[in-house]
Every structure is written in structure tokens, then in C-alpha cells.
Amino acid sequence: MTDSPFNLVVSGRHVTADDVVSLELRDPSGSPLPVWLPGAHLDLELGDGLIRQYSLCGDPADRDTYRIGVLWEAESRGGSHYVHEKLFPGAAVIARGLRNHFEFLEAERYLFIAGGIGITPLLPMIAVASSRKAQWRLVYCGRSRASMGFRADLDAYPAENVTLYPRDETGRADMADVVAWWEPGTLVYCCGPERFLSAVEKACAAMPLETLRVERFTPREMTAPTLTGSFELVLARTGATVAVPPNRSILEVLLDHGVDVDYACEEGTCGSCETSVLAGKVDHRCSVLSAEERAAQDLMMVCVSRSAEEILTLDI
């Protein structure tokens, strides 16, 4: 991974719900932090080579502080436990990247759908939509009211704009009913666990491709690749051609050949390894690109996505 690292220090820590902490991060020297827009996430190095991505959920106009929210997960792959057990005020942490594959676009109306900690990237979007006087609605689902983080942030908005679905009180939300609020001109932004996102995607299946924008915290379930054999990868900038066998990723092959590629998660969720496609058809296997972006066939995440044809040409 070649992103330039930068240092941060935990300047504040707050419990916003059962098992949810909010961290405030600052530059140790007091310098202004890099600019970000709603939908952006940050990579944090959490020891022993572990890197995790967290959505920024504060105010983009605040150049002094980044804010993230982290859920304690019993089945954590390491990131959740590290944050909850080790990142207290004064702790140092190394950050990389500041990426946005969940870009907040201008629209007439917005439907925001959050599942649990998936509320985090939506908070700055809601603030912007409200400041623009756009029509918007938030549907926020969680196990219980006590488990739903950042509810205090939502108190600033009209009650009719915010609908809570604590599962222990209401049962699971019917996504067909939730998306019934949609009409042409509405963008749908959704973040949450995989089962939740799948239900939203199913409910939005008949909408135009550009309508639904989703951010995943964990990778999609992998299906069998379109092309089961090897394929040729053409590196357009050098004219070199390399073979990608079925048991290796494009990223691994590129690194073996000394090609400098940004990467972090290696599971198709962070967007670090985004690469332009010049020719060929991509078998998209990432959890980053929208349906519209997949259909365009001009970008791919080389850590997990593959070629759907025998030759693929990349802008490398």
C-alpha cells in the first residue's frame, strides 16, 4: 500500500449508544486536517498490519476534528476490539487515505436508510440536505433504541423527517413500504449490514440504476467468477502483458511484476485499488461501485474483481 500516512490523536471519546463509541481525532500538531465531503471514509492502522475503514460522520466544515463511530462486535475481525479497548483520549493512531466512493450528489429529494452503525456516513449528508432545504426522509433501523447510536444528532431535525424502527418494538421494517416514499427525482442512500442492504436492493430493484447508492462495511458474498480460467492483462502504459491465473488476484500479479498499486483492505470494500479499464469486460466482485458504475465498465477494484473475457486492458 502506497498511500502516504499521517498521524492523528484521539481528542475525545463518547458513548452514543449501547456498544457504540464516537471518537474525535485531531492532528497532533494542531494543523488543519485534509478536506473531506459527505460520504468520505478514512483508513486507520490498528496494529499488526490491520487496516480498517471508518466513515467520517462529523461536520466537513470543521478542519480541526474528524469524527467516527465504531460498533463493538463480538465477532470482530480485530478492528472493533482494538478501537473499543485501546483508543482513548491521548492515543495515537496512523491514518491513510481519505476516499469517497459514496459521493453525495445533488437531488430534489433524498431517502436515507440506515441499519445500525450504518447511520454514520448518512449524518453529514442529512445535514447538507437540510441546509439546502431539500425534501428528505431518514428511516433508521436498529435492534433497540438503546443500540441506535447518534440519536441525539437527529433531535435537531423535524420529527416528521425521521422514522425509527427499533426491532424489539416494531419488528423488522418492511423495505417495500419504506421505499414507497420514493418518486422520480429522489436519490436513495443506504448503509448497514449485508442482510439489511440486500433487502433494500431488492426493494429498489425496479428503480433506475442511478437511484440507489449503497455503502458496505463488509464484502459481498463471493460467487463463482464469470471466467474460470486464466486471462491476459494488458498494462497500457508499458505495453506489457501478464497472465492472471484463476487462483491469484490481479493485485497480486501486479505486485509480483513490480507495479505500484495503492491497496488496503484486499477484500473489495475500501476502494484504494480503483483502476481505470481501457478495454475488455470486467467481472465486478467488489462492494464499492454502484450498479450504474459497474454497468459503465470503466473502473474496477483489482484486489477482487476479475476479467470476464480472455483479455483485459488497464490504464497502468
Side-chain angles (χ1 to χ4, degrees):
M1 185 179 64
T2 59
D3 279 348
S4 298
F6 57 99
N7 295 317
L8 295 173
V9 64
V10 179
S11 58
R13 174 178 166 126
H14 309 280
V15 176
T16 70
D18 291 349
D19 296 332
V20 178
V21 295
S22 168
L23 298 185
E24 294 166 3
L25 306 168
R26 291 177 177 258
D27 183 284
S29 68
S31 298
L33 295 168
V35 173
W36 62 282
L37 295 173
H41 69 253
L42 192 67
D43 296 346
L44 295 184
E45 294 187 8
L46 301 177
D48 296 325
L50 185 68
I51 298 173
R52 291 291 180 262
Q53 294 75 43
Y54 297 101
S55 298
L56 296 179
C57 59
D59 180 0
D62 181 359
R63 296 291 306 281
D64 295 324
T65 307
Y66 288 155
R67 183 175 71 156
I68 63 171
V70 183
L71 171 69
W72 168 267
E73 298 181 87
E75 303 300 321
S76 167
R77 296 172 294 160
S80 169
H81 288 183
Y82 188 99
V83 171
H84 278 256
E85 294 171 358
K86 297 186 178 182
L87 293 189
F88 290 87
V93 63
I94 296 174
R96 290 179 182 267
L98 191 60
R99 302 182 187 84
N100 197 335
H101 289 277
F102 197 38
E103 184 182 2
F104 185 56
L105 303 177
E106 190 163 353
E108 299 172 13
R109 303 170 87 240
Y110 298 96
L111 174 58
F112 302 106
I113 308 176
I117 197 64
I119 188 65
T120 50
L122 304 183
L123 291 173
M125 297 183 183
I126 291 169
V128 172
S130 182
S131 70
R132 291 177 181 169
K133 308 298 183 185
Q135 287 185 280
W136 64 271
R137 181 188 181 201
L138 167 67
V139 175
Y140 183 10
C141 305
R143 298 190 313 274
S144 65
R145 288 180 189 274
S147 73
M148 299 166 73
F150 300 97
R151 284 190 297 119
D153 289 46
L154 303 176
D155 291 342
Y157 303 112
E160 61 266 25
N161 287 42
V162 179
T163 302
L164 302 183
Y165 279 94
R167 193 165 64 245
D168 62 345
E169 300 175 25
T170 64
R172 291 188 185 276
D174 184 325
M175 288 304 162
D177 289 343
V178 169
V179 304
W181 188 79
W182 181 87
E183 62 183 43
T186 306
L187 288 182
V188 181
Y189 282 84
C190 180
C191 186
E194 185 59 33
R195 178 179 175 181
F196 181 85
L197 297 181
S198 295
V200 175
E201 287 176 329
K202 182 178 179 180
C204 295
M207 297 178 186
L209 281 181
E210 67 274 11
T211 299
L212 177 62
R213 305 184 65 83
V214 168
E215 178 152 88
R216 283 177 158 82
F217 293 138
T218 56
R220 296 173 182 265
E221 183 178 347
M222 285 292 181
T223 57
T226 301
L227 185 68
T228 57
S230 300
F231 58 91
E232 289 188 347
L233 190 68
V234 179
L235 312 184
R237 297 185 193 178
T238 64
T241 298
V242 298
V244 181
N247 62 337
R248 307 209 69 204
S249 70
I250 293 176
L251 175 63
E252 289 171 331
V253 170
L254 291 174
L255 294 176
D256 281 352
H257 285 79
V259 180
D260 188 19
V261 185
D262 286 346
Y263 68 97
C265 71
E266 298 184 69
E267 59 184 17
T269 56
C270 75
S272 303
C273 65
E274 178 181 286
T275 303
S276 295
V277 178
L278 301 181
K281 185 176 180 181
V282 180
D283 176 11
H284 288 293
R285 301 165 65 77
C286 74
S287 303
V288 177
L289 297 178
S290 67
E292 184 181 19
E293 290 168 327
R294 288 169 177 245
Q297 289 285 319
D298 57 0
L299 294 172
M300 73 180 301
M301 304 303 152
V302 295
C303 67
V304 293
S305 294
R306 302 184 66 79
S307 178
E309 300 175 338
E310 293 183 355
I311 300 176
L312 183 69
T313 304
L314 301 182
D315 186 16
I316 290 180

